[in-house]
Amino acid sequence: MLKFIFWSLLAVNAALFAYGRGYLGHFSGNEREPQRMLNQLNADKLSVIPADQANRAAQAAAAALTEQKAAPVQACVEVASFVLADARRFEARLEPLKLGDRQSRLNLPGTEISSYIVYIPPQGSKEAADKKVAELRGMGVSNYFIMSDSSPLRWGISLGVFKTENAAQNQLAMLTRQGVRTARVAPRMSGSKLLGFQFRDVDGELKAKLEKIRADFPGAEMRSCR
């Protein structure tokens, strides 16, 4: 009896060992491990890589897939133009979107000419502007003003502001006869009362929502901005 039990246990262990090695195949098929290895393509080129390297590769693949599926982002979208009352209504409609610092309101530049200025372009610094003024005085020019504000003409020299372009051109001609060669005439624009809104990091979904709101303001248009 003991011999029977011993040989039975030995046979069972031998069968389990053979199954674990794949010599007996699996329940789902009749292939054995050696046969499966022969059927694999380029089995001799397979290699085992460390777990952390495998994880990094998997994360990189997942990130690439996510990037491919992500909606394209447009750097900046502007919606304009609004009078003050409409700007306030438009702003109220934006509140549920909770855009935070991705949303900003701006005053639009004026589009009407209010006057004309005769000027010498910016000199780059106060010292350079003072030097230029000294040259003008030497030519007999007494009507001048150094522009020191934060406008694009900062450290330029104003030689007069006129209501009409004809009057400005007459002043320029007189200065030319006095020897002033670098003076110019340019229109000055009136301040605008129109407002606009800019939105940053706009994807397709947000752009559609903005367009839906904008449609209720027929005078406004949506455009790309920097």
Side-chain angles (χ1 to χ4, degrees):
M1 184 64 180
L2 291 176
K3 288 183 178 181
F4 174 77
I5 295 174
F6 170 79
W7 288 110
S8 297
L9 290 175
L10 184 61
V12 170
N13 286 333
L16 289 175
F17 177 82
Y19 178 77
R21 290 286 182 154
Y23 294 117
L24 300 180
H26 294 284
F27 293 119
S28 58
N30 294 323
E31 291 182 337
R32 295 183 179 182
E33 188 65 24
Q35 184 62 37
R36 287 197 300 273
M37 290 296 294
L38 290 175
N39 290 337
Q40 288 182 1
L41 297 177
N42 299 321
D44 59 321
K45 296 182 179 180
L46 296 177
S47 61
V48 179
I49 62 175
D52 58 342
Q53 184 178 346
N55 289 335
R56 287 195 299 270
Q59 291 172 359
L65 183 60
T66 300
E67 184 176 352
Q68 291 177 357
K69 293 182 177 180
V73 174
Q74 187 170 350
C76 180
V77 168
E78 181 174 295
V79 182
S81 305
F82 300 94
V83 297
L84 181 58
D86 285 344
R88 288 173 176 169
R89 290 196 300 113
F90 183 77
E91 207 164 23
R93 294 281 300 277
L94 296 173
E95 288 181 0
L97 301 181
K98 301 185 183 302
L99 298 177
D101 58 4
R102 294 168 62 193
Q103 169 189 327
S104 60
R105 187 170 77 172
L106 65 154
N107 294 313
L108 298 180
T111 57
E112 295 182 0
I113 297 174
S114 61
S115 59
Y116 293 84
I117 183 173
V118 181
Y119 73 102
I120 292 176
Q123 300 299 296
S125 67
K126 183 180 184 304
E127 291 74 16
D130 288 337
K131 182 179 179 180
K132 193 62 167 180
V133 163
E135 293 177 8
L136 293 173
R137 284 199 300 265
M139 298 175 188
V141 178
S142 57
N143 183 21
Y144 55 81
F145 174 74
I146 296 177
M147 294 176 280
S148 58
D149 58 7
S150 57
S151 73
L153 293 179
R154 179 179 173 86
W155 305 128
I157 302 166
S158 171
L159 299 172
V161 177
F162 304 87
K163 283 290 186 182
T164 66
E165 184 178 10
N166 186 57
Q169 291 294 347
N170 288 338
Q171 174 70 358
L172 179 62
M174 185 183 71
L175 291 167
T176 301
R177 288 193 295 269
Q178 290 179 266
V180 180
R181 305 300 180 189
T182 56
R184 303 175 183 176
V185 172
R188 298 179 69 192
M189 311 306 290
S190 62
S192 174
K193 296 181 180 179
L194 297 178
L195 302 170
F197 292 84
Q198 286 190 352
F199 305 90
R200 301 285 177 182
D201 301 327
V202 178
D203 58 19
E205 181 180 359
L206 176 56
K207 187 175 182 181
K209 292 179 180 178
L210 293 174
E211 176 58 33
K212 184 176 180 180
I213 298 174
R214 186 218 59 81
D216 293 334
F217 299 83
E221 64 177 10
M222 179 180 289
R223 54 183 177 243
S224 298
C225 56
R226 294 182 179 178

